[in-house]
Amino acid sequence: MAAYDYDLGVIGGGAAGLTVVSGAAQLGARTLLIEKEPALGGDCLHFGCVPSKTLIHSARLYHSLKSCSRFGLPEVVVPEVDFCRIADRIRAVIATIQKHDSVERFCRLGAEVRFGTPRFVDEHQIELDGKRFSARSWVIATGSSSTPPQGSVLQNIPFITNKEIFTLNRLPASLIILGAGPIAIEMAQAFCRLGSQVTVIQRSGQILTKEDKDLADGVMEVMAAEGVRFLLGAAVTAAGTVGGQQELVVATQAGEETLRAETVLVAQGRSANVDGLGLAEIGVAHNAGGIEVDSRMRTSHSHIYAPGDVNGRFQFTHAAGHEGGVVVANAIFRLPRKVNTRWMPWCTYCDPELASIGMNEKRAKEAGIAYTVWTEEFAGNDRALACGAGVGKLKMLLDEKENPLGVQILGPLAGEILGEWVAVLNGGMKLSTLAGAIHPYPTLTEINKRVAGSWLSPKIFSATVRKGLKLIFQLQGSACNPSSRV
Ligand SMILES: Cc1cc2nc3c(=O)[nH]c(=O)nc-3n(C[C@H](O)[C@H](O)[C@H](O)COP(=O)(O)OP(=O)(O)OC[C@H]3O[C@@H](n4cnc5c(N)ncnc54)[C@H](O)[C@@H]3O)c2cc1C
């Protein structure tokens, strides 16, 4: 008789947990999944990527309608946005994707799904609704939540987070957003485009602080021109509700300012969902950043794994999926597979998008790595110009041996353009191959070929090569002397 009820128990049915469950169950492991919400899919499907990208698309179309005269079209007067209809569309898109994350699908794959909030009673056993379930290995994939403003003046006012913003029943006339990370920036532009008066309050002197300042400033310039107000180096010192509006007193370098808005969105960071799991009692080490894991996603108990947002490393759906795959290799195949995050890509879906893979200048400097930067502007990309999207640039960083360190792209559909770099860098392709590969014209991805070409061309068109060709083939040199032209 088996010593445990299950081979594998998974807590949390989001990107990380579902990746593990799907892999483990299909490989024949007796698998239990426990989810606290009434539906599977996690933050990404219900309160994150899917609703935010759906909202952003509506906002982008509405913005295009309002600015269509830029493209030689007749000016149109567009009616105000009915946010309920956008929220309905968000719900419809979620419902379509939900089918892929249904209980029936995971049951068909061979997993048992239960709903509720479990608590560890020992290293191999949890309690759920008064019943105990044991498993040889456990996976804690409970994700993260918007960090609550504990002990802060914000506790005096009602505020919303990513859990509420996609189901508002009206468009806020004014919106204050606290924080300037990817979620805050995406929402600031989308709500501004839909017609809200948006102010972003950020503690530090830069938005999107992980990114290089020149690119983050590029995003800020575009958004400021569209009407978003930014208060950088600013801290909220008092908050209250006045006449149905939220009032914030903000200390800035220029002095104190009082702001009022209908709605306040808190997007100042994420904390791991670990409350109530009983981790301290069973000795799973965790800190303010999340559950501590090694590169195989093992916690301080080697049979308990913690992939995804809950470990606080990379908080992206694709990272959660990658880490979930590593857990399957370790827990089911018993292979010592490690996460490989060297080429972890990501994208902030503002317009223009800001996409990144590998090192940027900030991270290279922090690591003390010498680098050179090769830049191409979208102002030199014919497709971008045809589409009225010639703002932004691509930065390619090379190390001293001219090996790629990373690529950063601020520009139209930068996340899609980055896809080619995902293949180039993971495949270890030579830059000369990229420079020589035929790209269809006119496309935005030509910028990738261009930057590789700008690195390669001084080597091909060098004085030494010219001298050698002259010698071997008796080439006659320049046919035009600009100073002697009449
Ligand atoms: C507004 C927003 C936009 C985003 N946009 C993007 C994007 O464009 N691209 C991208 O890559 N990432 C994006 N993210 C991040 C992405 O959503 C997360 O990185 C991803 O969801 C992490 O997956 P996970 O499985 O670790 O956690 P989750 O998806 O959050 O899943 C955790 C699951 O565990 C459950 N759970 C929690 N506690 C318990 C408990 N005690 N018992 C049982 N179940 C529990 C939760 O209900 C949830 O279903 C966005 C996030 C937000 C908030």
Side-chain angles (χ1 to χ4, degrees), residues 210-273:
K210 275 191 194 164
E211 313 292 348
D212 282 343
K213 189 167 182 332
D214 56 337
L215 300 184
D217 285 353
V219 171
M220 194 166 71
E221 254 169 55
V222 171
M223 286 174 56
E226 288 182 14
V228 177
R229 183 161 181 240
F230 289 91
L231 290 178
L232 302 185
V236 179
T237 56
T241 304
V242 181
Q245 293 230 315
Q246 311 318 323
E247 188 177 271
L248 300 185
V249 180
V250 183
T252 69
Q253 279 145 1
E256 204 166 75
E257 191 173 330
T258 301
L259 303 172
R260 278 193 193 175
E262 189 180 319
T263 305
V264 173
L265 169 70
V266 174
Q268 283 171 313
R270 314 275 302 169
S271 331
N273 294 329

Side-chain angles (χ1 to χ4, degrees), residues 28 154 464:
L154 290 173
T464 321

Side-chain angles (χ1 to χ4, degrees), residues 249-455:
V249 180
V250 183
T252 69
Q253 279 145 1
E256 204 166 75
E257 191 173 330
T258 301
L259 303 172
R260 278 193 193 175
E262 189 180 319
T263 305
V264 173
L265 169 70
V266 174
Q268 283 171 313
R270 314 275 302 169
S271 331
N273 294 329
V274 290
D275 288 353
L277 291 168
L279 299 188
E281 289 84 337
I282 62 159
V284 170
H286 59 285
N287 54 41
I291 297 181
E292 293 169 21
V293 288
D294 64 11
S295 55
R296 291 164 61 184
M297 293 292 111
R298 297 177 302 180
T299 67
S300 45
H301 287 305
S302 59
H303 68 287
I304 302 181
Y305 300 84
D309 275 20
V310 77
N311 65 40
R313 290 184 164 192
F314 290 98
Q315 297 191 320
F316 304 113
T317 295
H318 45 279
H322 173 71
E323 293 174 358
V326 167
V327 171
V328 173
N330 279 275
I332 308 300
F333 286 110
R334 314 266 183 114
L335 292 172
R337 189 177 158 208
K338 296 178 179 174
V339 287
N340 179 358
T341 54
R342 179 169 181 214
W343 300 125
M344 177 65 72
W346 66 75
C347 182
T348 300
Y349 298 88
C350 41
D351 178 17
E353 293 178 357
L354 179 45
S356 164
I357 186 165
M359 288 203 170
N360 59 10
E361 290 197 68
K362 215 176 234 186
R363 290 189 285 280
K365 276 179 193 147
E366 276 164 15
I369 296 175
Y371 62 87
T372 51
V373 186
W374 300 80
T375 304
E376 272 309 312
E377 304 277 340
F378 277 94
N381 178 282
D382 294 359
R383 181 62 179 276
L385 293 176
C387 297
V391 173
K393 63 184 173 189
L394 181 153
K395 284 166 66 177
M396 175 177 77
L397 266 68
L398 303 182
D399 68 12
E400 280 175 314
K401 292 184 176 157
E402 302 206 307
N403 293 315
L405 285 169
V407 174
Q408 319 297 315
I409 310 174
L410 171 67
L413 298 177
E416 309 298 323
I417 300 170
L418 196 76
E420 186 170 30
W421 288 103
V422 171
V424 166
L425 297 172
N426 281 285
M429 187 191 283
K430 286 183 178 166
L431 285 178
S432 53
T433 308
L434 176 61
I438 304 171
H439 286 61
Y441 173 86
T443 54
L444 297 171
T445 52
E446 280 183 293
I447 198 163
N448 298 336
K449 178 184 164 79
R450 274 286 274 274
V451 78
S454 67
W455 162 80

Side-chain angles (χ1 to χ4, degrees), residues 9 41 56 69 82 116 139 162 189 240-241 282 319 359 406 448 469 476:
I56 285 169
S69 61
D82 174 356
V139 177
N162 65 298
Q189 188 177 44
T241 304
I282 62 159
M359 288 203 170
N448 298 336
L469 288 175
Q476 297 176 60

Side-chain angles (χ1 to χ4, degrees), residues 12 14-16 35-37 42-43 49 53 142-143 162 309 315-317:
E35 166 57 48
K36 88 170 160 64
E37 295 288 338
D43 249 26
C49 332
K53 268 76 252 180
T142 47
N162 65 298
D309 275 20
Q315 297 191 320
F316 304 113
T317 295

